[in-house]
Amino acid sequence: MIVSKNSRVFLQETGELSRFAARFWREWLKPRYEFREFIRQCFVIGYKSLPLTGLTAFIMGLVLTMQLHPSMIYYGVESLIPSMVGIAIVREVGPVLTALIFAGKIGSSIGAELGSMKVTEQIDAMEVSGTNPFKYLVVTRTAASMFMLPVLVIISDAISLYGSYLGNNIYERTTFILFFRKVFESLIVADIIPAVIKTFFFGFAVGIIGCFKGYFTDKGTEGVGRAANSAVVVSSVMIFILDLVVVQITDLLNLYN
Amino acid sequence: MKGKTDPDDRVIIIRDLCKSFGTNRVLDHFDLDLHRGENLAVLGKSGSGKSVLIKCIIGLIRPDAGSIRVLEQNIQGLNREELDQIRVKIGFLFQSNALYDSMTVRENLEFPLRRHSFRLAPAEVNNMVMEALRNVGLEHTVDMMPAELSGGMRKRIALARTLILKPEIILYDEPTTGLDPITSLEIINLINAIREKFGTSSLIITHDLKCVKLTADRIAMLIDGRCNITGDFEGLKSSSDERISPFFN
């Protein structure tokens, strides 16, 4: 009985989220355009996330290389470290890790912000001020997430590879040019393009789920906390599901061979 | 402080308004008229549907049945643009003030102005903001954040934001709830002063008897989703009707 009730709630919420996402696509191209708010959100969502995503990317590149080094030495293939780390970071670690950090920071902040606006009637106030709150709040934040995450991922990949270069230099002297030449020799377009494209979907998922959870918050301040929390949990799970789908598609298209 | 009203000139006409949430029927064939220049208080218990009523009037909640005419326009028949146009003429003071807490007081006041009036020069916008703040006596707060203001100040800023578009009708949702007696009196005086100065018609949703006594020309009782009883404060206070007397005693 409990399972069936939970299933019903899950299906209902999935349906509502799908309708919410469909409304985003319907409304985002229709005037009036909230361009100023979109730019402001790009700054808040993109620029202000850069220190955190950059730091985690740097540490991940460094740690990945340091962890990999003894095993590569054991097999006598330490010269492959730049290629291996490059492929791992560009294809998977960079996009997914950055998206997860992004979901933690931006998903929760959007969920909490919109949630508190909902419970304090600020969204209603916007509506009576002649503003479409969906366009002003949801479309701008989701679009900014969708466009800023790929930028953050590209920057994070670069920082991560730099971390890897430093990690490699702890054990052996490699020049910057040689290291990056080896990284780019092993990368093909099919590594980069799907990895960047999937980050648009990750960004969309984080933005729309954060907005959805915040926009339909109820039960006062307790609801705001719950909205922030479930925005992070649901968008993190969604990132992994999307990643799985992208891997299946690229595999079916035989892009890596 | 009561003003002159014209009973033949009605700015809001509500007929047979019904609204249910699940099995809970909040408004049940509710009728109400608001005359031009009148302060009308709607009195009812908590959870009786007073806030639902004014949210139906402003178009935030869609009623199940009935009609709402505001300034001779049927609210339910309006599209989004037409609704936005009529909303310029209706001010709404929210119970929680609903100030945008990520914006300064100036930005809060500019917000409705910029949304409705696209071609105002910056100096003109500034003048209108300062005038609205002058009307509530809070010019010095212009660059402060809402979090830096007291409850009464926030209420007055919310009122200034409501006034900035010079509405013909103001809907007050529990304007004195949660305020101390002195601040409540300040808000009550402000409600009366606004009517005096701008000739606005007001619908005041409240269960604060002091507010009702000092502001309302007429009182409508919302009981069991209906409005069968209207009258002035003294008339209702002396009523022996068992549905009314608990409010006044």
Side-chain angles (χ1 to χ4, degrees):
Chain A
M1 195 65 186
I2 292 167
V3 173
S4 101
K5 190 188 169 194
N6 287 344
S7 307
R8 204 168 52 243
V9 170
F10 171 75
L11 289 172
Q12 192 179 337
E13 192 155 327
T14 307
E16 282 166 4
L17 177 59
S18 306
R19 273 211 305 275
F20 193 76
R23 188 176 169 195
F24 167 83
W25 292 110
R26 268 202 317 276
E27 295 222 14
W28 89 308
L29 286 175
K30 271 197 300 188
R32 133 185 210 179
Y33 304 111
E34 304 290 354
F35 195 67
R36 220 169 121 177
E37 180 63 10
F38 170 69
I39 296 296
R40 196 179 79 83
Q41 287 305 323
C42 284
F43 175 77
V44 173
I45 288 172
Y47 181 74
K48 290 198 168 177
S49 301
L50 192 57
L52 185 63
T53 55
L55 178 68
T56 49
F58 177 80
I59 293 170
M60 189 45 63
L62 187 71
V63 169
L64 198 63
T65 307
M66 289 169 73
Q67 298 261 20
L68 209 54
H69 201 266
S71 308
M72 300 299 267
I73 293 273
Y74 180 79
Y75 290 109
V77 285
E78 66 268 35
S79 62
L80 290 180
I81 286 177
S83 311
M84 279 193 71
V85 172
I87 289 174
I89 285 173
V90 171
R91 274 194 198 173
E92 189 62 23
V93 179
V96 172
L97 187 79
T98 308
L100 288 174
I101 297 291
F102 187 78
K105 185 177 189 296
I106 299 304
S108 62
S109 115
I110 292 176
E113 186 189 11
L114 265 61
S116 77
M117 287 184 81
K118 177 75 192 296
V119 299
T120 56
E121 299 179 302
Q122 291 175 52
I123 293 181
D124 284 345
M126 219 165 249
E127 176 98 42
V128 301
S129 296
T131 301
N132 179 345
F134 192 92
K135 275 190 95 84
Y136 191 84
L137 299 171
V138 177
V139 171
T140 53
R141 279 160 181 76
T142 306
S145 290
M146 199 163 65
F147 289 111
M148 284 297 105
L149 184 58
V151 176
L152 285 172
V153 167
I154 291 167
I155 296 170
S156 297
D157 282 357
I159 293 172
S160 203
L161 289 171
Y162 184 70
S164 174
Y165 159 73
L166 293 182
N168 200 49
N169 269 273
I170 292 171
Y171 303 103
E172 57 190 70
R173 180 95 181 99
T174 314
T175 66
F176 183 82
I177 293 171
L178 178 65
F179 183 87
F180 276 87
R181 191 190 296 152
K182 282 187 168 181
V183 168
F184 286 108
E185 270 172 6
S186 60
L187 288 173
I188 54 172
V189 175
D191 289 316
I192 299 166
I193 304 294
V196 173
I197 290 174
K198 72 179 174 185
T199 58
F200 278 96
F201 293 100
F202 292 169
F204 174 72
V206 171
I208 203 77
I209 291 167
C211 289
F212 174 75
K213 293 289 180 185
Y215 208 77
F216 294 109
T217 299
D218 54 7
K219 296 175 185 163
T221 45
E222 187 199 342
V224 175
R226 203 178 305 142
N229 181 271
S230 59
V232 177
V233 173
V234 176
S235 49
S236 300
V237 172
M238 189 53 81
I239 285 165
F240 284 111
I241 293 170
L242 288 170
D243 195 41
L244 183 67
V245 172
V246 171
V247 167
Q248 291 297 316
I249 291 170
T250 48
D251 199 37
L252 281 172
L253 295 174
N254 216 11
L255 287 179
Y256 298 136
N257 296 321
Chain B
M1 195 184 293
K2 310 291 157 66
K4 284 181 186 174
T5 64
D6 181 356
D8 295 327
D9 188 1
R10 292 171 296 179
V11 289
I12 297 179
I13 304 168
I14 299 171
R15 292 288 176 269
D16 282 325
L17 193 69
C18 297
K19 180 69 193 172
S20 301
F21 294 98
T23 54
N24 181 21
R25 187 142 205 169
V26 178
L27 297 173
D28 186 13
H29 299 281
F30 184 90
D31 296 330
L32 192 75
D33 291 341
L34 175 66
H35 306 137
R36 189 173 292 280
E38 177 186 40
N39 275 359
L40 170 65
V42 177
L43 196 58
K45 286 193 294 187
S46 293
S48 60
K50 304 187 296 294
S51 295
V52 172
L53 169 68
I54 51 170
K55 285 184 178 174
C56 286
I57 295 171
I58 197 86
L60 284 174
I61 293 178
R62 206 169 178 80
D64 300 331
S67 73
I68 302 169
R69 292 188 69 80
V70 178
L71 299 168
E72 300 181 350
Q73 296 208 56
N74 183 9
I75 290 291
Q76 290 109 301
L78 302 178
N79 62 31
R80 186 164 188 107
E81 285 74 31
E82 290 165 337
L83 193 58
D84 284 345
Q85 288 307 310
I86 196 89
R87 279 171 173 165
V88 178
K89 297 172 187 170
I90 311 171
F92 194 114
L93 183 71
F94 286 87
Q95 186 177 350
S96 60
N97 307 323
L99 293 176
Y100 307 123
D101 43 24
S102 59
M103 300 181 193
T104 63
V105 167
R106 179 191 296 280
E107 288 164 339
N108 263 281
L109 268 67
E110 283 177 356
F111 193 84
L113 214 50
R114 291 198 188 280
R115 312 306 295 182
H116 286 295
S117 321
F118 298 104
R119 291 181 192 161
L120 286 175
E124 214 172 337
V125 170
N126 184 55
N127 287 342
M128 291 173 84
V129 168
M130 295 316 289
E131 191 200 331
L133 286 175
R134 209 172 298 126
N135 284 327
V136 297
L138 286 175
E139 290 156 279
H140 63 285
T141 62
V142 67
D143 292 317
M144 290 168 84
M145 297 299 286
E148 298 174 81
L149 305 172
S150 68
M153 286 162 98
R154 264 182 249 161
K155 186 68 79 184
R156 282 150 75 186
I157 296 295
L159 201 47
R161 187 177 66 182
T162 305
L163 286 174
I164 202 158
L165 291 171
K166 302 199 167 43
E168 291 180 39
I169 302 166
I170 301 183
L171 309 175
Y172 295 93
D173 189 4
E174 310 265 11
T176 54
T177 298
L179 300 176
D180 63 83
I182 296 167
T183 313
S184 285
L185 194 59
E186 283 173 14
I187 299 297
I188 288 166
N189 291 337
L190 214 46
I191 292 171
N192 287 325
I194 286 164
R195 198 259 289 268
E196 283 271 300
K197 188 169 178 182
F198 301 105
T200 50
S201 317
S202 304
L203 191 65
I204 305 159
I205 299 294
T206 187
H207 45 62
D208 175 1
L209 281 186
K210 188 170 149 196
C211 176
V212 172
K213 185 179 180 183
L214 294 175
T215 58
D217 303 308
R218 201 158 57 95
I219 302 163
M221 302 291 300
L222 174 52
I223 300 166
D224 299 328
R226 287 170 179 263
C227 170
N228 293 323
I229 307 144
T230 55
D232 63 12
F233 187 85
E234 294 306 328
L236 291 175
K237 192 181 177 188
S238 57
S239 169
S240 56
D241 190 322
E242 59 184 20
R243 293 171 301 169
I244 301 172
S245 51
F247 283 98
F248 294 89
N249 299 313

